[in-house]
């Protein structure tokens, strides 16, 4: 017995809203969320795995993230993802057999410098310091004399003031490798939310600042990365690593590592969203119009992965990404089932590109509509409601028009505000999503549809670093340590259905479900047979 809804099946993704019983630092339980509370009390729901092996990451100690989460939701399958792919390639040394690596190494050995740009941490969301360490060892083994590291400081996927932990590690490695005529150093850097790592074109000024810092060597000068961090912390009380200003390492007033003609440049981040804009700046010709690059060095440039498979960004990459096929979006397009995707800029790519298996273009222009609500360029803690109201305005209108049997939406608040580490703002962000839910569910009821309410990973439910007993960790001054990273917690998956169809199916209880189980579930609710390669559905027909 199949379902047939008069209205749409709406997949609502509350980005970064996970489940945790501990109240301390929990913005989800501290927020006033009467709508979500009602859904959890009165509708069937399951807890989904949204991290580790359930989303294709190496181990269950690895936090999930929005990219792999939306890949899993849209694909209905689990693929080896960025960190795991890169680790496998480095451990087997197959990366070094690639023509891309060989050309980078050759140029660096023939008078050039090898530059590594990327996030310096072990957060394993955008990058991993171990990957950089292994490539530095290989560069030394191949006789590359001069290497420069451009260190983007994290404080978002790891502890908010943990930068010196990673700087000390990399400085020790660089010192170890710098013997004889080998010269390996940090050249520049800054906080990831201050320089370089913008995404979706939301703030090209960040990339411009990164270009000036890494390429041109323009910025405040310091003798070392450690000195830069300690100086900024003393000058700007309370600043966390992701917001640290740019810095340039210099000797005798001269930058030690500008990027010049003939150099090799590797962007070692494996995650694509915050790697694409710098890549475009390096690879574009005279038609580049996002900012004045002043000087564009003729370099051999490569990314760790292909960050956009349709647009082929970058042109050269070290590790081939997973080929994700047979996605939910592709199947619906093949069936002629109209579908709509909507979010604001910060997560627009997640409900389109990542949901569709790293594909930029639509499967079918006639049956798909994508709507991007431009995000504000304002610190998220200052405007934690973000664009939730505007997204809801448009989506409610589309629901009532009732032209799309399947719709998907992402509300970024729990994730983007959660990353700031500001509990009070994150509570407001979660409450903003609950307000949106009230309006959306009323519209869905009006046209006879249903909603699956879920999340792509946890974040907002764990805003403090916690001790084993659940109490918050504190620093030497007694201040609670904020947690700005994602979590290892499960996420809710609620089946909101007030139609007669709710009696036609049952939700199957299981502790083994992950995000990849959503695709087959949506297909069945739409009256379609799930693909054999997908993870099993969470529902069965009565």
């Amino acid at each position: 017995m199949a379902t047939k809804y008069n209205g749409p099946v709406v997949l609502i993704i509350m980005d970064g809203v996970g489940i945790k019983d501990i109240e301390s630092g929990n913005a989800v339980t501290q927020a006033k969320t009467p709508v979500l509370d009602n859904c959890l009390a009165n509708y069937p729901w399951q807890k989904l795995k949204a991290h580790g092996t359930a989303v294709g990451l190496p181990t269950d100690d690895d936090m999930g993230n929005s990219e792999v989460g939306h890949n899993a939701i849209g694909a209905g399958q689990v693929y080896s993802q960025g960190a795991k792919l890169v680790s496998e390639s480095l451990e087997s040394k197959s990366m070094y057999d690639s023509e891309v690596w060989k050309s980078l190494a050759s140029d660096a050995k023939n008078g050039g410098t090898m530059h590594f740009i990327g996030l310096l941490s072990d957060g394993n969301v955008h990058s991993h310091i171990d990957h950089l360490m292994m490539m530095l060892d290989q560069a030394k083994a191949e006789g590359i004399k001069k290497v420069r590291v451009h260190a983007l400081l994290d404080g978002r996927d790891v502890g908010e003031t943990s930068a010196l932990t990673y700087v000390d590690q990399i400085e020790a490695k660089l010192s170890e490798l710098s013997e004889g005529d080998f010269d390996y150093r940090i050249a520049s850097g800054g906080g990831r939310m201050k320089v370089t790592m913008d995404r979706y074109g939301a703030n090209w000024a960040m990339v411009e600042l990164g270009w000036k810092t890494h390429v041109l060597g323009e910025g405040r000068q310091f003798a070392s990365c450690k000195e830069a961090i300690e100086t900024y912390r003393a000058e700007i009380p309370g600043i966390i690593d992701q917001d640290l200003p740019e810095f340039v390492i210099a000797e005798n007033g001269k930058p030690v590592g500008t990027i010049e003609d003939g150099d090799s440049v590797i962007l070692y981040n494996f995650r694509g969203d915050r790697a694409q804009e710098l890549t475009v700046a390096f690879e574009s010709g005279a038609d580049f119009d996002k900012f004045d690059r002043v000087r564009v060095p003729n370099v051999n440039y490569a990314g760790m992965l292909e960050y956009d498979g349709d647009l082929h960004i970058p042109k050269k990459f070290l590790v081939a990404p997973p080929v994700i096929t047979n996605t939910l979006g592709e199947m619906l397009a093949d069936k002629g089932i109209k579908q709509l995707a909507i979010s604001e800029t910060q997560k627009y790519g997640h409900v389109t590109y990542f949901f569709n298996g790293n594909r930029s273009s639509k499967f079918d222009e006639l049956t798909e509509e994508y709507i991007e609500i431009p995000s504000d360029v304002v610190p998220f803690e200052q405007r934690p409601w973000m664009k939730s109201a505007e997204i809801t305005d448009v989506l409610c209108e589309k629901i009532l028009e009732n032209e799309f049997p399947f719709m998907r939406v992402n509300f970024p608040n729990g994730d983007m505000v959660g990353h700031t580490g500001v509990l009070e703002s994150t509570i407001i962000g979660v409450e903003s999503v609950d307000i949106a839910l009230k309006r959306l569910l009323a519209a869905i009821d009006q046209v006879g549809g249903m909603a699956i309410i879920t999340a792509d990973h946890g974040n907002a439910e764990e805003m403090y670093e916690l001790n084993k007993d659940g109490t918050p960790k504190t620093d030497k001054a007694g201040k609670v340590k904020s947690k700005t990273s994602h979590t290892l917690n499960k996420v809710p998956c609620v089946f909101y259905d007030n139609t007669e169809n709710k009696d036609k199916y049952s939700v199957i209880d299981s502790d083994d479900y992950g995000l990849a189980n959503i695709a087959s579930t949506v297909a069945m609710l739409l009256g379609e047979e799930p693909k054999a390669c997908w993870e099993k559905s969470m529902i069965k027909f009565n």
Side-chain angles (χ1 to χ4, degrees):
M1 182 185 296
T3 55
K4 180 63 178 177
Y5 289 91
N6 293 323
V9 172
V10 184
L11 177 62
I12 302 172
I13 300 169
M14 307 179 296
D15 210 298
V17 176
I19 302 168
K20 192 171 185 69
D21 292 334
I22 295 173
E23 183 79 9
S24 181
N26 191 331
V28 178
T29 57
Q30 292 185 41
K32 296 179 180 178
T33 55
V35 180
L36 181 59
D37 293 346
N38 177 65
C39 288
L40 295 173
N42 296 299
Y43 294 85
W45 66 285
Q46 294 289 302
K47 296 179 181 180
L48 306 185
K49 298 174 184 177
H51 74 284
T53 56
V55 289
L57 297 173
T59 74
D60 284 337
D61 291 328
D62 294 313
M63 297 173 292
N65 61 67
S66 297
E67 287 64 37
V68 299
H70 283 77
N71 273 167
I73 294 170
Q77 306 162 71
V78 178
Y79 287 85
S80 290
Q81 289 289 347
K84 188 174 183 179
L85 284 171
V86 173
S87 294
E88 291 169 351
S89 179
L90 285 165
E91 289 164 4
S92 68
K93 295 188 179 295
S94 61
M95 177 192 292
Y96 309 130
D97 293 328
S98 70
E99 291 304 316
V100 173
W101 174 268
K102 289 177 180 178
S103 70
L104 291 161
S106 176
D107 286 356
K109 284 186 285 189
N110 288 308
T113 299
M114 180 171 276
H115 297 265
F116 293 95
I117 305 174
L119 190 64
L120 188 68
S121 81
D122 59 2
N124 219 32
V125 174
H126 289 268
S127 68
H128 199 294
I129 191 173
D130 288 353
H131 297 163
L132 175 59
M133 295 279 204
M134 285 188 273
M135 289 188 290
L136 290 171
D137 282 334
Q138 183 68 20
K140 173 70 178 288
E142 294 193 24
I144 296 170
K145 301 294 186 182
K146 188 175 181 181
V147 169
R148 293 293 181 264
V149 174
H150 303 267
L152 299 169
L153 307 177
D154 197 343
R156 189 176 178 92
D157 298 323
V158 293
E160 61 180 6
T161 55
S162 58
L164 288 176
T165 300
Y166 307 106
V167 169
D168 288 346
Q169 289 180 44
I170 204 68
E171 289 282 26
K173 170 62 70 173
L174 295 172
S175 177
E176 169 195 324
L177 298 174
S178 293
E179 58 182 7
D181 56 353
F182 287 86
D183 180 11
Y184 285 35
R185 308 190 218 179
I186 293 177
S188 72
R192 58 179 283 181
M193 295 305 288
K194 178 71 173 179
V195 301
T196 308
M197 283 179 61
D198 181 45
R199 65 176 173 192
Y200 308 145
N203 186 5
W204 273 97
M206 283 175 60
V207 188
E208 180 179 13
L209 185 57
W211 182 271
K212 290 178 177 178
T213 304
H214 312 315
V215 179
L216 305 181
E218 295 179 0
R220 186 172 174 182
Q221 296 184 349
F222 297 89
S224 70
C225 182
K226 183 176 182 179
E227 179 186 86
I229 293 168
E230 291 178 338
T231 300
Y232 283 138
R233 286 180 177 172
E235 292 178 352
I236 314 171
I239 194 168
I240 60 177
D241 296 339
Q242 63 180 335
D243 298 320
L244 285 167
E246 72 285 0
F247 58 86
V248 174
I249 308 305
E251 284 184 351
N252 301 317
K254 183 178 180 180
V256 302
T258 56
I259 299 177
E260 305 292 338
D261 290 348
D263 288 352
S264 294
V265 179
I266 296 172
L267 180 54
Y268 65 85
N269 285 7
F270 49 73
R271 179 167 142 179
D273 58 342
R274 295 190 184 274
Q276 292 191 35
E277 289 170 56
L278 183 65
T279 299
V280 169
F282 268 106
E283 295 189 337
S284 295
D287 58 342
F288 182 80
D289 61 358
K290 302 302 182 183
F291 58 85
D292 181 4
R293 292 174 291 179
V294 182
R295 176 175 64 83
V296 184
N298 181 17
V299 299
N300 191 347
Y301 180 90
M304 184 64 88
L305 292 171
E306 185 177 33
Y307 302 131
D308 189 315
D310 285 340
L311 299 177
H312 301 298
I313 300 172
K315 295 182 176 72
K316 292 195 280 188
F317 48 92
L318 290 164
V319 181
V323 178
I324 300 178
T325 59
N326 294 312
T327 65
L328 175 61
E330 182 180 4
M331 187 203 80
L332 297 179
D334 289 343
K335 298 280 187 180
I337 297 173
K338 296 184 72 174
Q339 50 187 316
L340 178 137
I342 181 172
S343 188
E344 63 176 277
T345 305
Q346 287 294 333
K347 297 292 180 174
Y348 171 74
H350 295 76
V351 290
T352 55
Y353 174 81
F354 291 106
F355 189 93
N356 288 334
N358 305 334
R359 176 190 174 98
S360 294
S361 58
K362 297 174 182 175
F363 294 106
D364 182 3
E365 289 286 344
L366 296 178
T367 59
E368 294 178 82
E369 182 176 352
Y370 298 166
I371 300 173
E372 176 184 359
I373 307 297
S375 292
D376 295 316
V377 184
V378 176
F380 302 114
E381 72 274 14
Q382 294 180 19
R383 198 168 294 175
W385 47 88
M386 299 180 67
K387 290 295 184 179
S388 57
E390 290 87 341
I391 293 170
T392 306
D393 290 341
V394 176
L395 186 51
C396 281
E397 181 180 332
K398 291 293 184 179
I399 290 170
L400 296 176
E401 288 174 358
N402 204 8
E403 294 181 4
F404 296 91
F406 177 61
M407 300 180 177
R408 56 187 184 266
V409 59
N410 180 298
F411 288 99
N413 309 60
D415 186 41
M416 301 311 298
V417 188
H419 278 311
T420 69
V422 181
L423 176 62
E424 295 80 5
S425 293
T426 309
I427 290 171
I428 294 172
V430 173
E431 291 175 344
S432 301
V433 176
D434 199 67
I435 292 169
L437 280 179
K438 182 175 182 179
R439 295 174 59 199
L440 290 176
L441 298 183
I444 289 168
D445 284 340
Q446 189 172 332
V447 295
M450 69 86 63
I452 295 177
I453 306 166
T454 189
D456 54 346
H457 58 77
N459 187 332
E461 79 285 359
E462 196 172 325
M463 297 289 296
Y464 292 159
E465 296 284 351
L466 299 175
N467 296 305
K468 289 183 179 180
D469 62 0
T471 58
K473 293 181 179 179
T474 57
D475 60 19
K476 294 179 180 179
K479 179 185 175 184
V480 171
K481 290 186 176 181
S482 296
K483 183 171 184 175
T484 55
S485 65
H486 297 167
T487 70
L488 303 177
N489 300 318
K490 289 186 176 182
V491 300
C493 184
V494 178
F495 293 79
Y496 178 88
D497 192 343
N498 292 324
T499 72
E500 61 182 14
N501 286 314
K502 69 179 183 297
D503 298 322
K504 297 180 181 179
Y505 67 88
S506 300
V507 177
I508 308 165
D509 286 333
S510 175
D511 292 328
D512 296 328
Y513 293 139
L515 297 178
N517 294 90
I518 292 174
S520 57
T521 306
V522 169
M524 289 183 66
L525 290 167
L526 290 169
E528 300 295 334
E529 187 71 23
K531 286 187 173 291
C533 59
W534 289 353
E535 296 292 314
K536 63 185 179 182
S537 173
M538 291 180 278
I539 65 170
K540 65 178 180 180
F541 292 124
N542 297 329

